[in-house]
Amino acid sequence: MTELGVALAITALFAAVTAPNFLRAHLRSQASQTLKILREIESTKEMYAADNGMPYGVTPSCADLLPYARAGSPAAAQLATNRVHDVLGRPIAINAIGQLPQLNSVSWDQFAGVVGEPPQVFWGDFGHY
């Protein structure tokens, strides 16, 4: 019976030590997936603007961008539903031609602890609203 208690205590200790690292890695992966969506949206905006001679300041709709999204990509799936969002389900602002898409500030804050300091290094020029 004592051996069982020791085994359970060791297992609980191991779980307590590894769980935070696992959760941090999972959130970091979600941040990377969100960054990929932001990049895909910007890429589709650039192709749309180039093909249609759109000037800066014009904000395209999801329907405008859908033909330029890579088939099967997360961005294409979201554009097809007319709702662009991060992996946490919060909206991403598409913004006008010449302006990068932006992450929701709540998601920005939630990801801040896992993307490194300062978060701008991870997100690059993609900001938040």
Side-chain angles (χ1 to χ4, degrees), residues 21-37:
N21 290 334
F22 173 77
L23 294 174
R24 180 177 167 83
H26 181 69
L27 192 57
R28 173 70 185 220
S29 173
Q30 289 179 318
S32 294
Q33 291 170 0
T34 296
L35 182 58
K36 181 179 178 181
I37 292 169

Side-chain angles (χ1 to χ4, degrees), residues 36-126:
K36 181 179 178 181
I37 292 169
L38 288 166
R39 287 179 177 153
E40 288 178 7
I41 295 299
E42 180 56 21
S43 176
T44 61
K45 282 173 49 181
E46 289 174 358
M47 288 185 283
Y48 167 75
D51 279 359
N52 295 288
M54 301 303 291
Y56 285 165
V58 174
T59 302
S61 68
C62 289
D64 293 334
L65 298 179
L66 182 57
Y68 298 94
R70 188 174 43 90
S73 70
Q78 291 183 20
L79 290 168
T81 64
N82 204 33
R83 182 176 178 268
V84 181
H85 55 87
D86 61 29
V87 296
L88 302 176
R90 296 188 184 100
I92 289 175
I94 292 175
N95 292 331
I97 303 297
Q99 185 181 5
L100 292 173
Q102 291 180 308
L103 185 64
N104 183 290
S105 62
V106 176
S107 294
W108 177 280
D109 292 342
Q110 191 166 353
F111 289 135
V114 297
V115 297
E117 293 296 329
Q120 292 81 355
V121 172
F122 178 83
W123 295 111
D125 291 333
F126 295 102

Side-chain angles (χ1 to χ4, degrees), residues 3 10 19 38 74 80 96 104 129:
E3 295 87 8
I10 291 172
L38 288 166
N104 183 290
Y129 65 95

